[in-house]
Amino acid sequence: MVEKEDHLKIEGRFSGTIRAQTMFLDTEMHINFGKNIVVNNGLVLALQRLAGVSANPITHMALGTSGTAESATQTALGTETIRKSATINVDSGNYKVTAQATFSGNDATGTQELGIFNSSSAGTMFARKVISPALSLPSGFNIVITWSATLGRP
């Protein structure tokens, strides 16, 4: 008897929407930061949640200033500067989960790394993305950062 293996893949991406709203200006600019890496601890977290093992779900997004390359063994951002609660949504029709958080221009300026976590501090990092060049936003601007992950077959 020949057995067929069925593989599962998690593909995550970060994007941002910069919004400028003043008395004279109301505009948005979209940025695709690209694919992230789901770190080893993120894979373990997914397995724990799948198996019903007690593990907190993803709840927070963090920004940092380290440009150190992404690695599957990383457990935290290199230099975390801010972490915020994220709005989490599941689109079961498209096998997709999204996390979204808004950061001020002051909070986001200098950002070179983005991460998804299951806690307001410490906790498990699920995914990390390094961006270059660093974000630079004028005062008064905000950026809504969205992380999305799709579960599928390769």
Side-chain angles (χ1 to χ4, degrees):
M1 178 171 153
V2 177
E3 290 186 30
K4 182 181 175 193
E5 289 186 22
D6 197 8
H7 298 276
L8 204 53
K9 168 177 91 168
I10 301 174
E11 182 174 288
R13 296 181 163 277
F14 278 97
S15 62
T17 301
I18 298 172
R19 182 159 180 96
Q21 213 170 13
T22 67
M23 184 186 311
F24 306 104
L25 179 68
D26 186 5
T27 189
E28 289 184 348
M29 181 175 80
H30 301 282
I31 303 167
N32 179 7
F33 296 124
K35 290 182 182 181
N36 62 246
I37 184 170
V38 176
V39 296
N40 292 345
N41 284 352
L43 295 175
V44 171
L45 177 62
L47 290 172
Q48 289 172 328
R49 298 284 299 166
L50 187 63
V53 174
S54 180
N56 293 331
I58 58 169
T59 54
H60 286 74
M61 185 179 300
L63 308 180
T65 56
S66 173
T68 301
E70 300 153 3
S71 167
T73 59
Q74 292 166 331
T75 59
L77 294 182
T79 309
E80 186 174 324
T81 55
I82 188 168
R83 189 180 297 201
K84 287 195 170 186
S85 181
T87 301
I88 310 294
N89 289 299
V90 174
D91 178 353
S92 58
N94 291 306
Y95 313 108
K96 185 177 190 175
V97 62
T98 58
Q100 196 170 67
T102 301
F103 298 89
S104 72
N106 291 339
D107 288 340
T109 292
T111 293
Q112 287 188 272
E113 58 181 337
L114 312 160
I116 296 295
F117 293 84
N118 72 344
S119 179
S120 60
S121 64
T124 300
M125 180 167 70
F126 186 84
R128 181 173 182 259
K129 173 67 182 166
V130 173
I131 59 174
S132 182
L135 287 178
S136 180
L137 299 176
S139 182
F141 283 53
N142 289 325
I143 185 166
V144 176
I145 298 178
T146 302
W147 172 78
S148 62
T150 305
L151 198 57
R153 296 172 191 89

